[in-house]
Amino acid sequence: MVARRRNLRLGENERRGVHLVFSKLPGGAMNAIMNLLTQLAAVFTISKWTWWSRAIRKPAHRGRVGPAIKPWAIVLHTTDMLPGTFDAIVKSWTTTAGVGQCANFLIGRIPEQGVVQFISIDRNSNHAGGPTHGWFVVDGKKVHPNSVSVSIEIHNAGQLRLVDGEWRSWDYQHKQPQGDPFDPADVEVDQHRPTRGWHRLTQYQHDTLTALLADLEAVLAPMPANVTIESNGPQTNQWAKVASCRIVGHVTLDPARKTDPGPEVMREFAR
């Protein structure tokens, strides 16, 4: 059951009355009452949620939903798929089991697509596994990332290539470009490889991710004191490294196979 936020508000006349009463109390009594009111305010204004109020709720196929967890970290992903595939992703994740992978959230590129939540944040969304994967390490003990983290997918084409003067998504299976060319304004050029680039977030995605991360911070469990990351290979991208383990990228855990969510997301949101 999702707790709902309750607000206690006083009108101007009520606030003046409270101030008048408090002004006549001894200092110690007034401080005690103020402390009590502060604690009561916290009870009424802080709510633990598992389904985000700003998201469109579309439960995932049960074959994609894992067991209960108590998350203290966030893993950021990009879909690395063409812009027109958003509806197909939603349909697949809600109607088929696939191989079990999913995400708690999927942020569309435009307000009309919105942000979809498939799985409550207290359930494993099977987002960072595979035959090889990285680990969180807590006090020397390996912890599977899926068992302690909320996953956020951002709908984005990911890494792009400059082909015949146009930025294109790359089909790695058939080794050829796919889809329509991208507007150069929507591409962040790789500083070290000018023929490679990254699909930029939209303003809607930036704003939505900012809001979602802020709300998650209020409800996640505290991060353990001694946490490190054991990735599955050398981390060659400096932008993929993080100072702590609260918000990481898929590439942070799995540099041998993944590059998502790319430098823009890591630079602005990971920590």
Side-chain angles (χ1 to χ4, degrees):
M1 180 177 180
V2 179
R4 297 185 180 275
R5 187 180 299 273
R6 297 170 61 187
N7 294 314
L8 296 180
R9 296 184 178 179
L10 296 178
E12 184 63 27
N13 290 335
E14 289 88 349
R15 286 196 298 270
R16 289 176 180 172
V18 170
H19 178 75
L20 179 62
V21 171
F22 279 7
S23 66
K24 296 180 179 180
L25 292 173
M30 182 171 71
N31 290 337
I33 292 174
M34 289 300 295
N35 289 336
L36 177 60
L37 288 175
T38 299
Q39 295 175 28
L40 288 173
V43 171
F44 282 102
T45 59
I46 296 176
S47 60
K48 293 288 186 179
W49 55 269
T50 58
W51 292 88
W52 196 37
S53 62
R54 292 178 54 177
I56 302 166
R57 183 169 174 171
K58 293 188 176 182
H61 187 282
R62 63 183 182 180
R64 298 177 183 269
V65 183
I69 63 172
K70 292 183 67 174
W72 46 257
I74 299 168
V75 180
L76 302 175
H77 304 253
T78 48
T79 57
D80 294 354
M81 297 179 69
L82 293 171
T85 59
F86 181 83
D87 290 342
I89 295 173
V90 174
K91 182 178 180 181
S92 175
W93 287 0
T94 55
T95 63
T96 69
V99 294
Q101 83 283 6
C102 198
N104 295 98
F105 299 93
L106 171 63
I107 301 176
R109 293 194 62 76
I110 54 176
E112 289 75 15
Q113 292 172 333
V115 52
V116 178
Q117 185 171 358
F118 300 96
I119 300 172
S120 63
I121 64 171
D122 58 356
R123 298 293 295 270
N124 181 338
S125 61
N126 298 310
H127 58 96
T132 62
H133 58 80
W135 301 84
F136 288 115
V137 181
V138 181
D139 289 326
K141 181 181 179 181
K142 288 184 178 181
V143 178
H144 196 297
N146 288 351
S147 68
V148 294
S149 63
V150 173
S151 58
I152 303 174
E153 285 274 3
I154 307 160
H155 190 42
N156 180 284
Q159 195 170 42
L160 305 174
R161 293 191 181 193
L162 191 62
V163 180
D164 297 329
E166 295 182 318
W167 288 104
R168 307 290 299 276
S169 175
W170 191 255
D171 182 338
Y172 288 91
Q173 180 179 357
H174 299 98
K175 298 181 180 180
Q176 63 184 20
Q178 61 181 350
D180 296 328
F182 289 81
D183 187 332
D186 294 332
V187 180
E188 177 178 326
V189 180
D190 191 309
Q191 294 181 351
H192 303 290
R193 298 185 298 171
T195 60
R196 299 289 188 273
W198 303 86
H199 195 198
R200 293 185 186 275
L201 269 62
T202 64
Q203 189 61 50
Y204 169 75
Q205 289 178 317
H206 188 283
D207 294 345
T208 301
L209 182 56
T210 299
L212 176 54
L213 290 176
D215 284 355
L216 283 170
E217 184 62 38
V219 296
L220 289 181
M223 192 173 69
N226 300 310
V227 185
T228 58
I229 289 176
E230 183 178 307
S231 61
N232 63 0
Q235 189 57 264
T236 58
N237 295 305
Q238 291 299 313
W239 48 261
K241 297 179 179 180
V242 293
S244 77
C245 297
R246 187 62 155 182
I247 305 175
V248 306
H250 200 181
V251 64
T252 312
L253 295 159
D254 193 354
R257 300 184 305 134
K258 302 294 182 179
T259 59
D260 66 306
E264 178 188 10
V265 176
M266 292 297 296
R267 183 174 63 244
E268 298 191 27
F269 297 102
R271 60 179 176 83

